[in-house]
Amino acid sequence: DAKTTQPTSMDCAEGRAANLPCNHSTISGNEYVYWYRQIHSQGPQYIIHGLKNNETNEMASLIITEDRKSSTLILPHATLRDTAVYYCIVRVGGGNQGGKLIFGQGTELSVKP
Amino acid sequence: GAVVSQHPSWVICKSGTSVKIECRSLDFQATTMFWYRQFPKQSLMLMATSNEGSKATYEQGVEKDKFLINHASLTLSTLTVTSAHPEDSSFYICSARVASGSTEAFFGQGTRLTVV
């Protein structure tokens, strides 16, 4: 299974862009990069995913390097409600177990006023 | 996104009793559901994968006779913690996926289990 490494914690000023890095140097060619976040005592919330092209939705942008060994999640204008643990996950497997998400330790993002 | 609902949100039970947690996909049919456990200040740990109509596949180190999973319909999976002990106290979270190979999985809000 491809693994990811993320910084343990990050701070961001409210209103500024939050850039969360993730390394996934052993990712396979058909594995996607997923980002989820978990606010305290809640279930994880899907943010965005991508294969090799950069992606953008109403929540965030995902920038994947050309060699796919790393990616960055960008929250363009962070708010206090974006304070959460952010997980970068590479989707593994196939067949009946295809798509199971294995969580690493994530990055604890603190957005400060 | 699609909605996954867990019930109950929290439960307190006595040691030695069994507790059932339900996970429902409210607006889609989930062929695959996943069960996770999360201890305080730790990440989510995958416990098992269940496919509708077949036996669950458990991750290494997870006791299948202790954590009974039933995925009898396309909208409901249940996790039963049998003979619960205080060390089973944890945050249990389910997620559901529409079909094999589909994109994102949707998560329930979690169930806080406290065994006293």
Side-chain angles (χ1 to χ4, degrees):
Chain A
D1 297 345
K3 301 245 186 319
T4 63
T5 55
Q6 300 175 250
T8 303
S9 63
M10 292 181 64
D11 289 342
C12 177
E14 187 179 19
R16 305 297 294 269
N19 297 282
L20 293 91
C22 179
N23 287 319
H24 32 79
S25 58
T26 60
I27 191 171
S28 298
N30 61 349
E31 290 179 315
Y32 287 74
V33 180
Y34 283 78
W35 283 84
Y36 283 79
R37 72 180 183 184
Q38 185 180 27
I39 296 170
H40 182 63
S41 294
Q42 296 183 24
Q45 177 190 21
Y46 166 80
I47 301 174
I48 200 167
H49 75 281
L51 182 62
K52 51 185 176 182
N53 296 324
N54 297 337
E55 302 288 343
T56 296
N57 62 21
E58 64 278 5
M59 289 184 68
S61 294
L62 173 60
I63 309 299
I64 302 174
T65 58
E66 194 169 340
D67 62 9
R68 303 210 323 125
K69 292 185 177 182
S70 65
S71 60
T72 301
L73 178 74
I74 302 172
L75 307 179
H77 305 287
T79 70
L80 298 179
R81 288 184 294 180
D82 292 322
T83 293
V85 178
Y86 286 76
Y87 295 99
C88 167
I89 303 164
V90 172
R91 197 179 79 173
V92 301
N96 284 337
Q97 292 194 55
K100 61 180 179 179
L101 298 170
I102 305 299
F103 285 76
Q105 293 306 306
T107 295
E108 187 167 6
L109 175 68
S110 296
V111 180
K112 300 182 183 300
Chain B
V3 178
V4 176
S5 177
Q6 277 184 245
H7 178 80
S9 297
W10 59 271
V11 57
I12 301 173
C13 72
K14 291 185 176 181
S15 188
T17 62
S18 295
V19 174
K20 180 184 286 187
I21 302 169
E22 293 185 347
C23 177
R24 293 182 185 274
S25 56
L26 297 187
D27 51 3
F28 68 100
Q29 292 185 326
T31 57
T32 304
M33 288 187 172
F34 304 90
W35 286 95
Y36 294 82
R37 179 168 55 178
Q38 185 176 33
F39 293 108
K41 298 193 181 301
Q42 293 187 22
S43 186
L44 285 77
M45 185 195 78
L46 180 65
M47 299 175 68
T49 302
S50 71
N51 291 290
E52 185 266 337
S54 62
K55 289 184 178 181
T57 302
Y58 290 81
E59 296 297 306
Q60 189 173 10
V62 178
E63 301 174 59
K64 62 180 181 180
D65 294 330
K66 181 168 183 61
F67 300 100
L68 302 179
I69 293 172
N70 183 281
H71 190 165
S73 79
L74 286 172
T75 59
L76 174 65
S77 176
T78 60
L79 168 68
T80 302
V81 182
T82 62
S83 186
H85 289 94
E87 57 265 31
D88 298 323
S89 298
S90 187
F91 192 51
Y92 292 87
I93 308 167
C94 72
S95 73
R97 197 158 53 85
V98 173
S100 178
S102 70
T103 55
E104 69 269 27
F106 302 99
F107 285 80
Q109 75 274 28
T111 297
R112 175 76 58 193
L113 169 64
T114 303
V115 184
V116 298

